[in-house]
Amino acid sequence: MAQQVKAVIARAKGAPVEVTTIVVPDPGPGEAVVRIQACGVCHTDLHYREGGINDEFPFLLGHEAAGIVESVGEGVTEVAPGDFVVLNWRAVCGQCRACRRGRPQYCFATHNAKQKMTLLDGTELSPALGIGAFAEKTLVAAGQCTKVDPAAEPAVAGLLGCGVMAGLGAAINTGNVGRGDSVAVIGCGGVGGAAVMGSRLAGASKIIAVDIDDRKLATARTLGATHTVNSRTTDPVDAIRELTDGNGADVVVEAVGRPETYRQAFYARDLAGTVVLVGVPTPEMQLELPLLDVFGRGGALKSSWYGDCLPSRDFPMLIDLYLQGRLDLSAFVTETIELDAVEQAFERMHQGDVLRSVVVL
């Protein structure tokens, strides 16, 4: 039967979030109910609250989560009750043209639960990225559950559900950073910091972290940056070129999502180098570059959506590396909080005080 649980919702654009009771239905065909153990506070949730994604209020916030499968619906075989899972927002369909070409990481028809969670009065909720995990329990498509080693701490494992995977994947999957490469990362919050860590994991010889906040640059050092540049006081293009024998970096990851920083990334790469955009721009932003420069510099200009990850491939592998002590995912957990502290976590995130606040239930 349907369950009533506590959850964090955003009722209206810009309004403070609130903890309330929601109704979670029993899972239908292809669905699963997951008891949430931990969920990171991500910028995307703040975008939902601010109406930056769409206006389908009220939103059930939270999406960067790990927990235990409680029940599954008809036809579900990939997970079972009791499995420890990381939730993902790329439940591949297996049928679209990308999947049929053997490129499921680009699936064009990812799916979510068909049933809706609601408020007590029956008002339907819009779950953030089809997940809605600032809740004691949530309903998702079973394909959004990726089984991983239960030895991992939930507060750490859940971060792979969004920001950390986006950054790691931008470097490893999209940027294809290789041994001996030089890498620059512009913007060193949670996603950019993960790109720094991913570059180190891939064997980059020089990793240049760029930001306007010395606190973030200091953290980037601990995550693997070999050099740092404060772009508030130093021209980052000149600095990156100077650190790479005048050439520019082999791969530049832009983790801000603004035209100004994208131009910096474009001109800070080596000839035939790669620019990876993982920062999320807003709809009104426009980019202007001389077409001759786009042609003459060669290389690749790429966008990285969810780090071009395939959850079934990447999540278990990264958790294994974490458990082996080879990938310090715990470095991203700045603080753990309770469900009623999400609004305050948004403010700390806005001020740049944290890499990740994580709700622990």
Side-chain angles (χ1 to χ4, degrees), residues 235-276:
D235 184 287
V237 176
D238 290 344
I240 292 168
R241 287 179 175 173
E242 183 177 347
L243 290 166
T244 54
D245 301 320
N247 300 316
D250 296 310
V251 179
V252 183
V253 178
E254 201 277 59
V256 180
R258 294 193 57 84
E260 305 94 320
T261 45
Y262 189 90
R263 285 179 62 88
Q264 292 170 353
F266 179 82
Y267 287 109
R269 67 180 176 132
D270 196 357
L271 293 174
T274 298
V275 173
V276 177

Side-chain angles (χ1 to χ4, degrees), residues 3-14:
Q3 302 180 68
Q4 296 182 8
V5 302
K6 296 295 183 184
V8 174
I9 68 166
R11 286 190 186 271
K13 181 177 180 178

Side-chain angles (χ1 to χ4, degrees), residues 37-358:
Q37 294 179 303
C39 184
V41 180
C42 176
H43 275 89
T44 302
D45 294 303
L46 183 58
H47 289 328
Y48 272 105
R49 193 201 72 173
E50 295 300 307
I53 305 294
N54 57 53
D55 59 357
E56 297 173 4
F57 291 93
F59 291 112
L60 173 57
L61 299 181
H63 61 279
E64 199 175 71
I68 303 295
V69 175
E70 181 179 86
S71 58
V72 299
E74 180 183 349
V76 174
T77 58
E78 56 264 53
V79 292
D83 285 346
F84 177 61
V85 296
V86 175
L87 298 183
N88 73 79
W89 42 273
R90 177 170 279 172
V92 300
C93 72
Q95 303 297 321
C96 72
R97 60 191 184 282
C99 288
R100 291 198 305 269
R101 290 173 179 170
R103 303 170 185 170
Q105 67 271 27
Y106 301 126
C107 178
F108 302 124
T110 58
H111 50 274
N112 300 317
K114 292 184 172 58
Q115 298 185 88
K116 289 288 188 179
M117 292 175 279
T118 68
L119 298 175
L120 289 176
D121 64 4
T123 300
E124 292 187 348
L125 294 164
S126 299
L129 293 176
I131 293 175
F134 286 151
E136 294 169 325
K137 297 178 184 179
T138 193
L139 176 76
V140 294
Q144 294 179 272
C145 300
T146 304
K147 186 177 178 180
V148 298
D149 192 324
E153 288 290 330
V156 172
L159 300 185
L160 292 179
C162 190
V164 171
M165 184 69 252
L168 286 167
I172 297 172
N173 295 333
T174 315
N176 197 29
V177 173
R179 294 186 298 275
D181 281 350
S182 58
V183 179
V185 178
I186 300 177
C188 294
V191 173
V196 168
M197 182 177 284
S199 299
R200 181 176 67 176
L201 182 67
S205 61
K206 187 169 291 184
I207 304 170
I208 305 163
V210 181
D211 205 282
I212 61 174
D213 188 331
D214 284 331
R215 297 171 300 171
K216 292 182 180 179
L217 293 174
T219 299
R221 283 272 190 184
T222 69
L223 299 175
T226 59
H227 301 77
T228 59
V229 175
N230 188 317
S231 55
R232 189 186 295 277
T233 57
T234 304
D235 184 287
V237 176
D238 290 344
I240 292 168
R241 287 179 175 173
E242 183 177 347
L243 290 166
T244 54
D245 301 320
N247 300 316
D250 296 310
V251 179
V252 183
V253 178
E254 201 277 59
V256 180
R258 294 193 57 84
E260 305 94 320
T261 45
Y262 189 90
R263 285 179 62 88
Q264 292 170 353
F266 179 82
Y267 287 109
R269 67 180 176 132
D270 196 357
L271 293 174
T274 298
V275 173
V276 177
L277 174 64
V278 67
V280 181
T282 56
E284 72 278 4
M285 290 180 180
Q286 300 289 322
L287 175 68
E288 184 174 331
L289 287 169
L291 190 57
L292 184 61
D293 286 355
V294 176
F295 171 78
R297 296 182 66 82
L301 307 178
K302 297 183 174 183
S303 297
S304 184
W305 190 63
Y306 207 180
D308 286 338
C309 80
L310 183 60
S312 61
R313 174 196 66 197
D314 294 339
F315 289 7
M317 177 267 292
L318 293 170
I319 289 295
D320 285 347
L321 290 175
Y322 157 70
L323 292 173
Q324 294 166 20
R326 298 167 61 191
L327 188 66
D328 185 16
L329 296 176
S330 60
F332 292 94
V333 181
T334 307
E335 63 175 0
T336 57
I337 61 174
E338 296 184 353
L339 202 58
D340 61 1
V342 170
E343 185 67 30
Q344 292 79 10
F346 281 151
E347 180 60 27
R348 287 192 291 276
M349 179 175 61
H350 181 71
Q351 296 297 327
D353 294 334
V354 295
L355 281 180
R356 270 299 182 269
S357 301
V358 180

